[in-house]
Amino acid sequence: GGDTTDSAWIPGLGAIWEIDGNHRLYGGIHRGFAPPRVEDLIDNTGVAVDVDAEKSRNIELGLRGQLGRFSYDLTGFDADFSNQVAVGSIAGGSTPLAQGETRYRGMELALRHEGYDAGFARPYASAALTWLPVAEQSTTLIAVSNGVAIAGSGAGKRLPYAPEFGATLRFGAYIGDFDVSVEGVFVGDQYTDFANTVAASANGQIGRIGSTTLTNMAFNWQPADQRFGVFVAVKNAFDRQYIADRTRGILPGMGRQTLVGIELDY
């Protein structure tokens, strides 16, 4: 048994500049703080582990606006961690939790276009794009269990499970009381260990995960002036097989999944 106390001063500052009625420039800087989770503080034998809180300096700068039926939101961000708790493979306890200095820098872009009403349908399209060129270990990460450097870790190497590119594209149409859409989700290549190993190990715990594109479909019916709706969603519509995670060994991604439901608005 025992007590652990953690506290922090978390300042932040944000601002928005309205360029005109349709465009706004925004930005902010704040300090990030996250205390260690209980499952990270206690090991499998019930002994407390000395895990430091996560601390970071986060900056963002963006521009959002609308041009007729087209809207956009472009954001650049920079997150500099003086301490981050990270993990590669933990199967069998082979690579325990690690902590150290890291940095993330990238951009996000959200786009949406509302099409003209063609009489029988009104189409729309949206996209969400993420570019993360920097997701690096700024220092060699240290195992929290014994204070020893993680094998293969080093300044400049990419962090596990941090793909450089991600994108979601959606195309749909409103047809009377119906909303029908199809969506493509792309996730780029990602490393699974601190050493950035490309080849897969025999036990499946280490090795780069290749990029994946999945297709989702959705059908929504919302009758006018009614307080209920019906939806059907098909995830991974083409039942693509892929590796989602190697943290505890190979974890296959979710296969085709169909969800049917009713929404009630009280």
Side-chain angles (χ1 to χ4, degrees):
D3 296 328
T4 299
T5 302
D6 213 341
S7 61
W9 167 249
I10 311 176
L13 178 65
I16 299 177
W17 176 36
E18 187 170 331
I19 301 172
D20 55 36
N22 294 321
H23 306 278
R24 291 174 175 83
L25 182 67
Y26 62 91
I29 180 171
H30 70 274
R31 179 172 181 175
F33 174 83
R37 299 175 301 177
V38 174
E39 59 266 37
D40 293 338
L41 283 171
I42 308 298
D43 67 13
N44 294 333
T45 65
V47 176
V49 179
D50 187 16
V51 183
D52 295 330
E54 290 189 326
K55 299 177 182 179
S56 63
R57 184 267 297 140
N58 307 301
I59 299 174
E60 68 170 357
L61 179 64
L63 178 68
R64 67 168 64 101
Q66 187 160 348
L67 297 169
R69 296 178 176 270
F70 176 79
S71 60
Y72 66 92
D73 192 337
L74 175 64
T75 306
F77 60 87
D78 182 10
D80 190 357
F81 282 79
S82 58
N83 188 68
Q84 181 185 7
V85 178
V87 67
S89 172
I90 61 173
S94 58
T95 303
L97 284 174
Q99 61 184 6
E101 297 179 23
T102 64
R103 189 160 197 173
Y104 300 84
R105 186 183 295 129
M107 300 181 70
E108 294 180 333
L109 174 64
L111 304 170
R112 184 174 177 88
H113 183 267
E114 296 285 349
Y116 290 95
D117 194 335
F120 66 94
R122 179 163 57 90
Y124 64 87
S126 63
L129 311 173
T130 300
W131 178 40
L132 187 64
V134 176
E136 67 179 20
Q137 306 165 49
S138 301
T139 62
T140 298
L141 302 188
I142 305 300
V144 299
S145 58
N146 54 21
V148 175
I150 296 293
S153 174
K157 290 189 176 180
R158 196 165 183 91
L159 284 153
Y161 300 102
E164 183 175 356
F165 296 102
T168 299
L169 304 177
R170 184 183 182 193
F171 299 92
Y174 299 107
I175 307 173
D177 295 334
F178 300 94
D179 177 4
V180 182
S181 65
V182 60
E183 176 185 72
V185 180
F186 171 80
V187 179
D189 295 347
Q190 51 193 305
Y191 294 111
T192 61
D193 69 333
F194 298 107
N196 295 175
T197 304
V198 174
S201 61
N203 59 14
Q205 298 176 21
I206 295 174
R208 187 172 62 186
I209 295 177
S211 60
T212 302
T213 301
L214 303 179
T215 302
N216 305 321
M217 300 178 180
F219 172 91
N220 294 278
W221 177 46
Q222 180 67 58
D225 302 323
Q226 298 295 322
R227 305 183 71 174
F228 74 92
V230 177
F231 68 87
V232 179
V234 183
K235 305 292 186 181
N236 191 7
F238 297 116
D239 200 23
R240 178 165 185 176
Q241 297 182 353
Y242 63 100
I243 296 175
D245 192 283
R246 293 183 185 271
T247 304
R248 294 170 175 82
I250 293 178
L251 176 67
M254 179 186 68
R256 183 190 298 116
Q257 184 178 46
T258 303
L259 306 173
V260 180
I262 298 176
E263 295 179 334
L264 300 176
D265 183 14
Y266 292 98

